[in-house]
Amino acid sequence: MNELPPKSQPGSKAMPGAKLPPVRMGDRSDVVRKQKAQLAEKKQADAKIRARIYQDILALLDLAERLTLDLSAHEDRYGIEWIGLARQIHAQYHADIVKIVPAFRDKIMSKEGAHGLPKGLYRHLLDFAEECTNFLKRPEDDFVQASERFKKSCVDMRQQICIFENERPAGEESFFG
């Protein structure tokens, strides 16, 4: 009545789910599988570079908006004028832009950027990178006007990307995906 369960054999333990290597079907199917894997990796790398470039554009736009704030007329409740603080704030934002622009330009000029960015936007991105570089070379006395032009360039670039997405040809790959 009370029978003991049969003892399991020592070598018959179930292996945890290990990933099996792909089945080799022959030369042609292996080549096709390898090409498919390479294409998937390339698409993923292209999407990554586009996402990083778009994040940089948004960061530059945010910094440009902060640079164009007029803090000269503000005064806090303790009577401290913001003109001195505004200079320090602008210097910090400008330093942040100095950090972002070279890396941004390198992403666009890289092999991944040149091949992974949509053809319809690549020229606009190159022009925008040049405008960013020109902003960093601006004279000190023209800072407010240069900041306004830089902000306008950032807004225009973001708008160019949105227009491209809405009007891109059927064969052109999306900027975001």
Side-chain angles (χ1 to χ4, degrees):
M1 287 208 216
N2 286 342
E3 291 183 25
L4 293 175
K7 290 186 178 181
S8 62
Q9 298 295 330
S12 67
K13 289 186 178 179
M15 298 276 296
K19 186 176 180 182
L20 296 174
V23 177
R24 294 188 54 93
M25 301 294 286
D27 288 337
R28 180 68 186 143
S29 60
D30 287 342
V31 169
V32 170
R33 184 182 300 128
K34 189 180 287 187
Q35 287 173 344
K36 234 183 208 183
Q38 288 173 345
L39 185 62
E41 286 178 18
K42 183 183 178 320
K43 276 191 165 189
Q44 187 177 13
D46 291 350
K48 185 185 273 189
I49 193 82
R50 287 190 301 263
R52 287 181 181 159
I53 287 173
Y54 191 66
Q55 289 170 348
D56 285 349
I57 290 170
L58 293 180
L60 289 170
L61 177 60
D62 181 53
L63 290 169
E65 287 175 347
R66 293 170 190 246
L67 280 174
T68 56
L69 291 175
D70 183 20
L71 300 175
S72 61
H74 294 298
E75 190 174 290
D76 68 5
R77 65 182 178 176
Y78 300 107
I80 298 175
E81 290 184 15
W82 281 73
I83 189 74
L85 292 175
R87 287 188 189 118
Q88 293 174 3
I89 291 169
H90 286 181
Q92 181 61 46
Y93 290 149
H94 189 264
D96 290 342
I97 291 173
V98 168
K99 291 177 190 173
I100 293 173
V101 168
F104 174 73
R105 187 174 175 86
D106 290 344
K107 287 175 196 169
I108 293 173
M109 302 296 280
S110 70
K111 179 181 175 185
E112 295 84 16
H115 294 291
L117 291 168
K119 307 293 184 261
L121 274 180
Y122 191 69
R123 182 81 233 150
H124 294 289
L125 286 166
L126 285 175
D127 293 342
F128 178 68
E130 187 64 33
E131 289 177 29
C132 291
T133 304
N134 290 340
F135 173 71
L136 296 179
K137 298 175 185 175
R138 95 281 178 258
E140 290 296 323
D141 57 341
D142 192 21
F143 182 74
V144 175
Q145 291 84 11
S147 296
E148 288 292 334
R149 283 192 306 271
F150 181 64
K151 178 181 174 183
K152 183 179 179 338
S153 297
C154 292
V155 168
D156 289 345
M157 190 64 237
R158 184 182 64 184
Q159 186 176 13
Q160 284 291 330
I161 291 172
C162 293
I163 290 171
F164 172 80
E165 277 301 304
N166 289 331
E167 298 176 359
R168 66 186 159 87
E172 187 75 53
E173 189 173 354
S174 170
F175 186 82
F176 299 110

